[in-house]
Amino acid sequence: MNSAPTAGEVSPDDSRIARLLLRVEIDEFNARYASVLDRGDLMEWPSFFSDNPLYRITSRENFCAGHPIGLIYCDSKAMLEDRATSILKTMVYAPRLITHYITNTVVTTCERDVISAEANFLLIENQIDRSPSVLMAGSYFDQFVRHDGRLVLRDRQCVYDTVMVQTSLIFPV
Amino acid sequence: MNSAPTAGEVSPDDSRIARLLLRVEIDEFNARYASVLDRGDLMEWPSFFSDNPLYRITSRENFCAGHPIGLIYCDSKAMLEDRATSILKTMVYAPRLITHYITNTVVTTCERDVISAEANFLLIENQIDRSPSVLMAGSYFDQFVRHDGRLVLRDRQCVYDTVMVQTSLIFPV
Amino acid sequence: MNSAPTAGEVSPDDSRIARLLLRVEIDEFNARYASVLDRGDLMEWPSFFSDNPLYRITSRENFCAGHPIGLIYCDSKAMLEDRATSILKTMVYAPRLITHYITNTVVTTCERDVISAEANFLLIENQIDRSPSVLMAGSYFDQFVRHDGRLVLRDRQCVYDTVMVQTSLIFPV
């Protein structure tokens, strides 16, 4: 009596549905995260992290070789807050707007307490006196946990593919 | 007897699921919208709007300052249709293809009849005689309503971060 | 007694939910596909296809005119494997990293055994001696089937909008 399942049918597999919805939730997290950076609301940025987070921006080469160094390295929420404060206090740069595009989200593992995920980021730089251009291309390697049901980052490694990085980069990604 | 919920588990919270699915639906809407523009099917473009829509393309600076001006400003469906017709009738430009990338969707509020959402758009320009380049980076600020169950735009503000905009831009975004 | 449905409410329409979840699943497929290419794991690339796939990279102009030619044309899994092997064996190019961004997914039809879908791809090239730049913009036109529940590509047409394509392109997209 039952018709065979079709290619697009939702299987009664709840774990498949849970995985797909989790992917959407992480996408939305990343969109909110990027919006805070693009609007310059840097004091909101640490709120996306857990209490004892790791945050690093590093090159693909360093990341693959396992080197701990990075353009930015923070291993506590206080360091994230210091970073945000010092940027806001010392900003003396030519006006520019940066726009994030976050795509290609993959939930790699999801164990009892920790969700591992990846995504690609693209940063476009808009300057006053020239056409918009690609500032940085790369990937996030993330570990999420939940606080009161809400996703927060326990670890975010921002790994850039771009080889020629502007040394003036002091912003979070 | 019940195991504790894991980090990736779907909670029995239907409102969370509804919110995530709505985000996917808006993503899909934006993909269809962009496809119509990229393929040059401009006469289809007004069908993505409600009967009395607002549509505007403006700079981040004007948007944040609350200025009503814009590169394009339409406050009725007839104006959208006029815009589409006049572009198709008067096109005398060098051949080029534009490709939209729409990412970073966030559903900001969802009240009884109106869904407010944001997304980022990136426009890549492909010209015959040069490498592809970034034409425009920015964000949509949208209000959606439903007509017969289908999402349509009541208000779309296209806010570009790009400072140097080609004055030849007469296309919808 | 029942309140009227609101704009963001999940309707009890299971086919709507199935369609939205399928879109997320294809997004995730494309993210995993791109990751394999970006990391250079070319031997994994054929595993994303069905046993007798079509794979082609061609220009928008050729695609719209129905011309069968392409930069790359493979009509069997063996040809995909040959392509992967020969690239890995003969690579003598300046080091560069390519980053994929896949967005704007639309499920166009979903019939008994075959899911037709589209998406936009953006390829950013990161070279050692210059700023990152747009390598290629375009769209996938895909047909998916399921093998043991898992999505695989029966047909992927990579259609680039970019007119000036680097003739050195021998990589899959």
Side-chain angles (χ1 to χ4, degrees):
Chain A
M1 297 304 177
N2 295 322
S3 59
T6 65
E9 190 164 283
V10 176
S11 75
D13 177 356
D14 285 346
S15 72
R16 169 179 172 269
I17 296 176
R19 183 173 52 82
L20 295 175
L21 289 174
L22 177 60
R23 184 184 186 275
V24 179
E25 193 177 2
I26 290 173
D27 259 358
E28 191 190 51
F29 175 96
N30 283 331
R32 291 183 185 274
Y33 176 99
S35 176
V36 159
L37 295 182
D38 288 347
R39 296 292 74 75
D41 300 334
L42 283 181
M43 297 313 290
E44 288 300 312
W45 173 62
S47 72
F48 289 87
F49 292 84
S50 70
D51 285 339
N52 286 295
L54 274 177
Y55 175 81
R56 185 168 64 132
I57 307 179
T58 195
S59 68
R60 180 76 59 181
E61 193 176 4
N62 282 331
F63 182 74
C64 291
H67 296 153
I69 56 172
L71 274 184
I72 294 183
Y73 184 94
C74 299
D75 63 4
S76 73
K77 205 158 186 170
M79 284 184 75
L80 298 176
E81 287 159 359
D82 280 354
R83 169 69 56 165
T85 309
S86 62
I87 290 171
L88 289 174
K89 279 195 182 148
T90 62
M91 284 195 306
V92 281
Y93 51 80
R96 62 176 186 176
L97 286 165
I98 290 174
T99 324
H100 279 71
Y101 299 86
I102 305 180
T103 69
N104 294 43
T105 303
V106 174
V107 178
T108 48
T109 63
C110 180
E111 304 192 341
R112 197 153 200 79
D113 294 316
V114 180
I115 302 157
S116 297
E118 302 175 14
N120 285 352
F121 62 82
L122 176 67
L123 270 58
I124 301 293
E125 182 175 29
N126 303 278
Q127 289 174 292
I128 269 188
D129 53 348
R130 67 193 75 167
S131 296
S133 61
V134 177
L135 178 63
M136 190 181 260
S139 304
Y140 293 127
F141 292 86
D142 295 325
Q143 291 185 355
F144 290 93
V145 292
R146 289 199 188 272
H147 278 193
D148 302 326
R150 193 172 63 90
L151 290 177
V152 288
L153 284 164
R154 193 179 76 165
D155 190 341
R156 167 154 283 185
Q157 306 280 322
C158 312
V159 179
Y160 53 87
D161 294 327
T162 300
V163 186
M164 250 186 54
V165 170
Q166 295 181 24
T167 51
S168 64
L169 182 85
I170 53 160
F171 272 94
V173 173
Chain B
M1 297 306 177
N2 295 322
S3 58
T6 65
E9 190 165 283
V10 176
S11 76
D13 178 356
D14 285 346
S15 72
R16 169 180 173 268
I17 296 176
R19 183 172 53 82
L20 295 175
L21 288 173
L22 177 60
R23 185 184 186 275
V24 180
E25 193 176 2
I26 290 173
D27 259 357
E28 191 190 51
F29 175 96
N30 283 331
R32 291 183 186 274
Y33 176 100
S35 176
V36 159
L37 295 182
D38 289 347
R39 296 292 73 76
D41 299 333
L42 283 181
M43 297 312 291
E44 288 300 312
W45 172 61
S47 72
F48 288 86
F49 291 85
S50 70
D51 286 338
N52 287 296
L54 274 177
Y55 175 80
R56 185 167 65 131
I57 306 179
T58 195
S59 68
R60 180 76 58 180
E61 193 177 4
N62 282 330
F63 181 74
C64 291
H67 295 153
I69 57 172
L71 274 183
I72 294 183
Y73 184 95
C74 299
D75 63 4
S76 72
K77 204 157 187 170
M79 284 183 75
L80 298 176
E81 287 160 357
D82 281 355
R83 168 69 57 166
T85 309
S86 62
I87 290 171
L88 290 173
K89 278 194 181 150
T90 62
M91 285 195 303
V92 281
Y93 51 80
R96 62 174 186 176
L97 285 165
I98 291 173
T99 323
H100 279 70
Y101 298 86
I102 304 181
T103 69
N104 295 43
T105 302
V106 174
V107 179
T108 47
T109 63
C110 181
E111 304 193 339
R112 194 151 201 80
D113 295 317
V114 180
I115 302 156
S116 297
E118 302 176 13
N120 285 353
F121 62 81
L122 176 67
L123 269 59
I124 301 293
E125 183 175 29
N126 302 280
Q127 288 176 292
I128 269 188
D129 53 348
R130 67 192 75 169
S131 295
S133 60
V134 177
L135 178 63
M136 189 181 260
S139 304
Y140 293 127
F141 292 86
D142 295 326
Q143 292 186 353
F144 290 92
V145 291
R146 290 199 188 271
H147 278 193
D148 302 326
R150 194 172 63 90
L151 290 177
V152 287
L153 282 164
R154 193 179 76 164
D155 190 340
R156 167 154 283 185
Q157 308 280 322
C158 313
V159 179
Y160 52 88
D161 293 327
T162 300
V163 187
M164 250 187 52
V165 170
Q166 296 183 24
T167 53
S168 64
L169 181 86
I170 53 159
F171 272 94
V173 172
Chain C
M1 297 306 176
N2 295 322
S3 58
T6 65
E9 192 164 281
V10 176
S11 75
D13 177 357
D14 285 347
S15 72
R16 169 180 172 269
I17 296 175
R19 183 173 52 84
L20 294 175
L21 289 173
L22 178 60
R23 184 185 186 275
V24 180
E25 192 176 2
I26 290 173
D27 260 358
E28 191 191 49
F29 174 97
N30 283 330
R32 291 183 185 274
Y33 175 101
S35 176
V36 159
L37 295 182
D38 289 348
R39 296 292 75 76
D41 299 334
L42 282 181
M43 297 313 289
E44 289 299 311
W45 171 62
S47 72
F48 289 86
F49 291 85
S50 70
D51 286 339
N52 286 297
L54 275 176
Y55 176 81
R56 185 167 65 130
I57 306 179
T58 195
S59 68
R60 180 76 59 181
E61 192 176 5
N62 282 332
F63 181 74
C64 291
H67 295 154
I69 57 172
L71 274 183
I72 295 184
Y73 183 95
C74 299
D75 63 4
S76 72
K77 204 157 187 169
M79 284 183 74
L80 297 177
E81 287 159 358
D82 281 355
R83 168 69 57 165
T85 309
S86 62
I87 290 171
L88 289 174
K89 279 193 182 150
T90 62
M91 286 195 304
V92 280
Y93 51 80
R96 61 175 186 176
L97 286 165
I98 290 173
T99 324
H100 280 70
Y101 299 87
I102 305 181
T103 69
N104 294 41
T105 303
V106 174
V107 178
T108 48
T109 62
C110 181
E111 304 193 340
R112 195 152 201 80
D113 294 317
V114 180
I115 301 157
S116 297
E118 302 174 14
N120 286 353
F121 62 81
L122 176 67
L123 270 58
I124 301 293
E125 183 176 29
N126 302 279
Q127 289 175 292
I128 270 189
D129 53 347
R130 66 192 75 169
S131 296
S133 61
V134 178
L135 179 63
M136 190 182 259
S139 304
Y140 293 128
F141 292 85
D142 296 326
Q143 292 186 354
F144 290 93
V145 292
R146 288 199 189 272
H147 278 192
D148 302 326
R150 192 172 64 90
L151 290 177
V152 288
L153 282 164
R154 192 178 77 164
D155 190 341
R156 166 154 282 185
Q157 307 281 321
C158 312
V159 178
Y160 52 88
D161 294 327
T162 300
V163 186
M164 249 185 53
V165 170
Q166 295 183 25
T167 52
S168 63
L169 182 84
I170 54 160
F171 272 94
V173 173

